[in-house]
Amino acid sequence: MTRPALTMAQLLDEAGLSAAQSTAISAALAAQEAAAAERPPLYLRILTGFGAWVAALFVILFMAMIDLLDTGLPALAWGLVFLAAGIFISRVSRAVFHEQLALALVMAGNLMVLFGGVDLLKLRDELAVLVIHGLVCLIVSPLFANAVYRFVAPIGLAVLATFWLVETRQFVLIHPLLALETLLAGGLLRWARRPAGLTPLAYAAAATLPGTLLFLHFTQLNFWRIGFSEPLWPSSLLLALGLSWVYLQLAGGFGQLRRFWLWLAILATWLLGVFTTPGILVVIGLLLFGEADDDRLLKLLAYLFLPAFLWVYYYALHIDLATKSYLVAGSGLVLLAVRGLVRWLERREVAS
Amino acid sequence: MNPLHQPARLRSLRQLQRDGLLDAATLASASRRLRLPNHWFAWVEQQLLLLGTALVLAGTIFFFAYNWAEMGRFAKLGLIEAALVACLLAACWRGRSRLTGKVLQLAAAVLVGVLLAVFGQIYQTGADAYELFVGWALLILGWVVAAGFAALWVVWLVLVNTAAILYWQQVADPAYALPYEWLCLFLGLVNLGALVLRETGLQRGLDWLAGAWLRGLLLTGGLVALTVPVLHLVLAEARLGGASLLTALAWLLAVAGGYAWYRRACPDMLPLAIIVMDLCVVLLTLIGHHLLDGSHDLAVLFLLFALVILGVVSGAALWLRRTAQAMAAERAAGLP
């Protein structure tokens, strides 16, 4: 699905760029390569993130065992000290060990501030944890330029928010939460001039949106002690709208609305929104973003969530196994028939 | 090499746009040149083919699971065999080299398993479950070899692994008290052996083996199988025996051989990272076991272990970063 390899020079020649622009682009490409060589690859960030997390837990255990975390005030104080120390170390040294140490300190500090704040304020509920963690994220993230923290902390925030909404049965507020996650994920992933510092947040949003939906479905299947009992159609509506906008963007704008296949894609999306779970729409969105930007991580995320949402959808249908088998196989045949339709549309598009 | 003379990549173009060096129109135009005009159509067709086939197969399996009592045995067997033959004929018609043909071959391979399961249920042969998987793997081996489809090879390896695990659970352990280390050794040899075959095949030009995911999957599967008994050996020294020592030796050979191969012969950072992460897990388990398994001041030991974790992981990260830089420098210098 790609042409024989074209070089950057060939592509940019055709774009008619000036010599000065080509020089700037050449320098930027060299800088990209150097930055890529310096930036730890994903597997390294997973390794260091996991190591820092485990180390943070042992540090907290140490603090607890020498009675420094018995009450809220010392826990809060030590948490703030750890946060400050972690931020300071990250700013004065880029050595691998110091980066790891800083991350462990910030993670441990974040947890201790959470515990200390909740205990001190005598607000032992989920909202207090959510608000305190939100404040910590807001303050620490701009100061602590660590991709792992900037990825994990927002996910923690989304988890706490979902947990609070479900535990306090404020189900109607799930839709604003899903809307926020959708706008964050869609907006940040498609933002043309996205700053590098917001990239972890973009991927965190891309992970929490399907994660939140999957959790809600699990509660509906009684895998949690409280079942989410709010219809999800407002979120399906928003996601279908969002996907339609993405199709338009990828097709080249509103001028492409004359294309028959675009109308079909939008119609199919709305039908999926009506008849299936909104998680399927999220997966389609992630796949599209991943394919548009050649982003294997987004595609991997989509492929991981797709079977989960399919399973949840078919499992939740209150029909016997025979009818379910017809439905599942029938869905497959419909998709294969749609594939035939797509091939016809492709031939029509190429011919025109 | 001048960066402008390197192959163009979409990710690089997007980054240039984020840096403000390309406007949206230039990016769109360059993206269209980089991809074929029908790129999105071809991609959607591919996704629909894979998902549609998976749903049809799943529905078929559910169908036979449910309609057990109501269907006659000839109807059951006849339906599955008809579907199997239809898949094979369609694969031949579409062509084994095309994705559709390969997916149809995969569907036929899955239906063989359904056929064996139905056969076993009808005639109540009393066979253990592992025999179904062994038979399934043997029957489809010819197709797997002929298909040239990496996903089908993975399905076949899953069958072999499942057969081995079930054999150990149902026969080897109850009847012969075979230590589980022998099972892990077998699984490690199978998966790493498949990896060796994959690397050999790739070097001989079998491009369908080229996916990086396959290398990572086989290496992870093989290493995990060998690492579990090694961790057990570390944690429970009393269980020292022939099987556990042999597995530990196999693990050492796999780690050393894998590192040498992917560092020198076939440079690739992903398998090196997997090997290094595996080493970290074993090393930290060893250190943690000896550090925390005493009656000394546990609190201080927890703090010490936290620093050890940071040290080991940092060391691993630094090693990998330097290795990546060295490999990049060797590539730039045209060294193998």
Side-chain angles (χ1 to χ4, degrees):
Chain A
M1 286 180 275
T2 52
R3 296 179 185 279
L6 289 170
T7 64
M8 277 295 200
Q10 287 169 316
L11 270 185
L12 299 173
D13 270 343
E14 291 172 11
L17 297 179
S18 68
Q21 282 173 305
S22 293
T23 306
I25 286 174
S26 179
L29 287 170
Q32 269 184 33
E33 266 188 43
E38 280 302 308
R39 188 174 54 244
L42 179 64
Y43 50 82
L44 216 51
R45 278 178 271 166
I46 291 173
L47 174 66
T48 56
F50 186 71
W53 178 248
V54 175
L57 290 177
F58 275 97
V59 166
I60 292 174
L61 276 173
F62 161 71
M63 303 284 285
M65 289 180 82
I66 60 173
D67 301 328
L68 283 182
L69 301 179
D70 274 358
T71 57
L73 186 59
L76 181 65
W78 280 109
L80 292 172
V81 166
F82 275 37
L83 285 173
I87 293 169
F88 175 75
I89 291 172
S90 73
R91 284 174 169 265
V92 301
S93 172
R94 302 299 291 173
V96 174
F97 180 78
H98 294 144
E99 277 185 9
Q100 273 275 87
L101 180 62
L103 181 59
L105 287 172
V106 166
M107 283 184 170
N110 199 144
L111 286 172
M112 287 193 284
V113 164
L114 271 179
F115 167 71
V118 168
D119 189 64
L120 203 62
L121 298 173
K122 302 295 182 207
L123 296 172
R124 294 182 185 276
D125 63 358
E126 298 84 0
L127 181 59
V129 179
L130 172 64
V131 168
I132 294 169
H133 183 60
L135 284 171
V136 172
C137 286
L138 271 175
I139 295 168
V140 172
S141 292
L143 301 171
F144 184 52
N146 183 288
V148 174
Y149 181 78
R150 285 175 172 176
F151 176 73
V152 171
I155 289 179
L157 195 59
V159 167
L160 289 172
T162 307
F163 188 68
W164 169 63
L165 290 174
V166 169
E167 288 292 309
T168 55
R169 298 174 195 265
Q170 300 188 59
F171 298 136
V172 71
L173 292 180
I174 282 287
H175 299 297
L177 175 64
L178 289 172
L180 181 64
E181 288 173 354
T182 304
L183 290 171
L184 263 180
L188 288 175
L189 288 172
R190 293 305 299 165
W191 187 1
R193 302 288 295 271
R194 183 181 74 217
L198 289 180
T199 299
L201 179 60
Y203 284 102
T208 54
L209 178 56
T212 304
L213 281 166
L214 195 61
F215 175 71
L216 294 175
H217 285 309
F218 280 155
T219 65
Q220 289 174 328
L221 297 176
N222 300 318
F223 291 153
W224 189 254
R225 54 196 192 83
I226 297 171
F228 176 74
S229 59
E230 177 82 9
L232 281 170
W233 65 262
S235 295
S236 291
L237 193 72
L238 176 68
L239 286 163
L241 207 60
L243 268 185
S244 306
W245 171 79
V246 170
Y247 296 157
L248 281 170
Q249 267 225 325
L250 292 175
F254 284 93
Q256 300 300 314
L257 275 174
R258 69 182 189 281
R259 305 276 186 194
F260 178 57
W261 56 262
L262 185 55
W263 281 105
L264 270 186
I266 292 172
L267 176 66
T269 301
W270 284 86
L271 286 174
L272 281 173
V274 168
F275 292 112
T276 67
T277 163
I280 302 285
L281 301 183
V282 169
V283 164
I284 293 172
L286 290 177
L287 279 174
L288 283 174
F289 288 158
E291 186 62 21
D293 291 343
D294 195 23
D295 190 329
R296 281 183 289 182
L297 191 55
L298 286 179
K299 285 194 273 191
L300 176 65
L301 206 55
Y303 288 133
L304 286 174
F305 276 106
L306 178 60
F309 281 119
L310 286 173
W311 177 82
V312 157
Y313 172 67
Y314 287 110
Y315 183 85
L317 293 174
H318 298 296
I319 52 179
D320 59 56
L321 186 55
T323 315
K324 210 169 276 196
S325 69
Y326 296 139
L327 190 63
V328 171
S331 306
L333 291 173
V334 165
L335 291 181
L336 293 173
V338 169
R339 180 175 179 264
L341 175 64
V342 171
R343 299 200 76 171
W344 174 76
L345 287 170
E346 179 189 355
R347 282 194 291 271
R348 210 177 97 135
E349 188 70 16
V350 168
S352 67
Chain B
M1 189 188 208
N2 186 338
L4 285 176
H5 295 149
Q6 289 182 14
R9 294 179 58 213
L10 265 174
R11 296 196 69 149
S12 302
L13 293 173
R14 281 282 274 168
Q15 189 57 48
L16 289 173
Q17 188 196 20
R18 288 197 186 103
D19 293 341
L21 293 169
L22 281 186
D23 57 33
T26 310
L27 173 67
S29 163
S31 302
R32 278 193 294 274
R33 280 288 286 132
L34 208 55
R35 286 176 160 166
L36 294 169
N38 67 336
H39 168 85
W40 283 104
F41 286 103
W43 178 76
V44 170
E45 285 171 39
Q46 187 189 67
Q47 304 302 306
L48 289 172
L49 173 65
L50 296 173
L51 185 57
T53 308
L55 286 173
V56 169
L57 281 174
T60 307
I61 292 168
F62 294 158
F63 175 76
F64 284 100
Y66 178 81
N67 285 309
W68 196 245
E70 293 171 14
M71 289 176 69
R73 57 187 175 175
F74 293 113
K76 290 174 195 169
L77 293 173
L79 267 175
I80 301 171
E81 287 164 1
L84 205 157
V85 169
C87 283
L88 287 173
L89 288 175
C92 292
W93 170 58
R94 294 296 293 169
R96 287 190 297 112
S97 58
R98 298 174 68 172
L99 180 62
T100 323
K102 291 176 191 290
V103 169
L104 285 163
Q105 287 176 89
L106 191 145
V110 171
L111 286 172
V112 167
V114 176
L115 178 64
L116 290 176
V118 169
F119 187 91
Q121 287 293 326
I122 290 172
Y123 294 106
Q124 291 296 321
T125 55
D128 288 318
Y130 83 89
E131 295 183 54
L132 181 147
F133 287 92
V134 170
W136 190 355
L138 284 173
L139 284 171
I140 68 171
L141 181 57
W143 293 347
V144 173
V145 171
F149 189 25
L152 189 48
W153 270 108
V154 171
V155 167
W156 187 82
L157 282 170
V158 168
L159 295 179
V160 170
N161 279 264
T162 306
I165 292 167
L166 288 174
Y167 174 77
W168 181 79
Q169 276 182 344
Q170 293 165 354
V171 177
D173 188 33
Y176 306 110
L178 190 74
Y180 85 99
E181 286 89 347
W182 290 110
L183 168 67
C184 292
L185 186 61
F186 177 78
L187 294 176
L189 288 175
V190 163
N191 293 306
L192 294 176
L195 179 63
V196 170
L197 285 175
R198 183 255 181 198
E199 300 299 347
T200 310
L202 193 62
Q203 295 225 316
R204 292 187 181 183
L206 298 179
D207 292 336
W208 55 270
L209 289 167
W213 64 273
L214 187 59
R215 178 180 277 169
L217 185 68
L218 293 174
L219 181 63
T220 303
L223 276 183
V224 166
L226 293 176
T227 303
V228 168
V230 170
L231 292 177
H232 198 183
L233 187 64
V234 164
L235 292 171
E237 295 140 12
R239 273 186 67 98
L240 215 64
S244 51
L245 280 177
L246 202 56
T247 316
L249 186 62
W251 176 79
L252 278 170
L253 282 172
V255 163
Y259 195 87
W261 178 260
Y262 292 113
R263 177 62 186 93
R264 296 293 167 201
C266 187
D268 188 352
M269 280 308 300
L270 178 61
L272 289 181
I274 292 170
I275 290 168
V276 167
M277 279 194 262
D278 187 60
L279 279 168
C280 285
V281 168
V282 173
L283 184 60
L284 286 171
T285 305
L286 181 67
I287 295 172
H289 174 65
H290 285 99
L291 202 60
L292 303 175
D293 193 24
S295 55
H296 300 289
D297 189 347
L298 212 52
V300 173
L301 291 175
F302 275 164
L303 181 63
L304 186 59
F305 190 51
L307 293 173
V308 167
I309 292 171
L310 292 177
V312 168
V313 173
S314 301
L318 193 61
W319 183 305
L320 286 170
R321 193 180 283 184
R322 287 186 177 163
T323 304
Q325 288 167 348
M327 280 164 58
E330 287 160 13
R331 262 197 309 275
L335 295 170

